[in-house]
Amino acid sequence: RTLGELCDLASARHVRVQTIDNGLFANWLQVLDARFFAADSASVEADWVLTGQEREFNYGVAGDDVFRGLFEAPRAVPKGDELGPCYVVDHRLNFLFMNIFRGRFLCGQR
């Protein structure tokens, strides 16, 4: 993952955060990552609609929108093309929360 991705995310006006096939909290942290790195004026939306292919993130059946089912009342959402180009987040961005780096940042002096 690159600094260029963070720059693209920071300059995007519309950001969609896709699910990763992992647990609920990992997906929640990915949404928080996107909101943290996106511009204050950016529209950030979670795309947690299940495909039916998930092994770990299986909180419903194909077609269920898990994020909106948990956190938002149903509402009409404009199509992405009405908002302009969309930057898609498909993985974690904050090194402090990635399991492969977490031990490097959270360990004390040895």
Side-chain angles (χ1 to χ4, degrees):
R1 315 317 179 160
T2 67
L3 180 59
E5 289 178 312
L6 289 176
C7 293
D8 291 343
L9 172 57
S11 64
R13 291 182 49 213
H14 179 221
V15 177
R16 181 180 310 117
V17 184
Q18 297 177 332
T19 60
I20 52 176
D21 195 16
N22 209 317
L24 178 68
F25 196 64
N27 280 277
W28 175 244
L29 288 175
Q30 183 166 302
V31 172
L32 294 181
D33 282 352
R35 181 65 267 170
F36 179 76
F37 288 110
D40 290 343
S41 60
S43 165
V44 177
E45 68 171 300
D47 180 9
W48 288 10
V49 177
L50 300 178
T51 65
Q53 302 300 311
E54 296 83 8
R55 291 177 27 172
E56 302 295 327
F57 193 73
N58 52 7
Y59 301 99
V61 297
D64 283 352
D65 187 336
V66 177
F67 189 87
R68 283 174 183 72
L70 291 172
F71 301 111
E72 295 183 0
R75 61 182 173 85
V77 177
K79 300 276 188 226
D81 53 345
E82 295 173 17
L83 298 172
C86 179
Y87 182 83
V88 176
V89 176
D90 63 359
H91 57 272
R92 300 290 315 283
L93 295 165
N94 191 330
F95 291 126
L96 293 174
F97 295 125
M98 289 182 182
N99 61 349
I100 59 173
F101 294 111
R102 188 172 33 222
R104 294 282 184 207
F105 292 110
L106 300 179
C107 64
Q109 287 192 349
R110 295 179 182 204

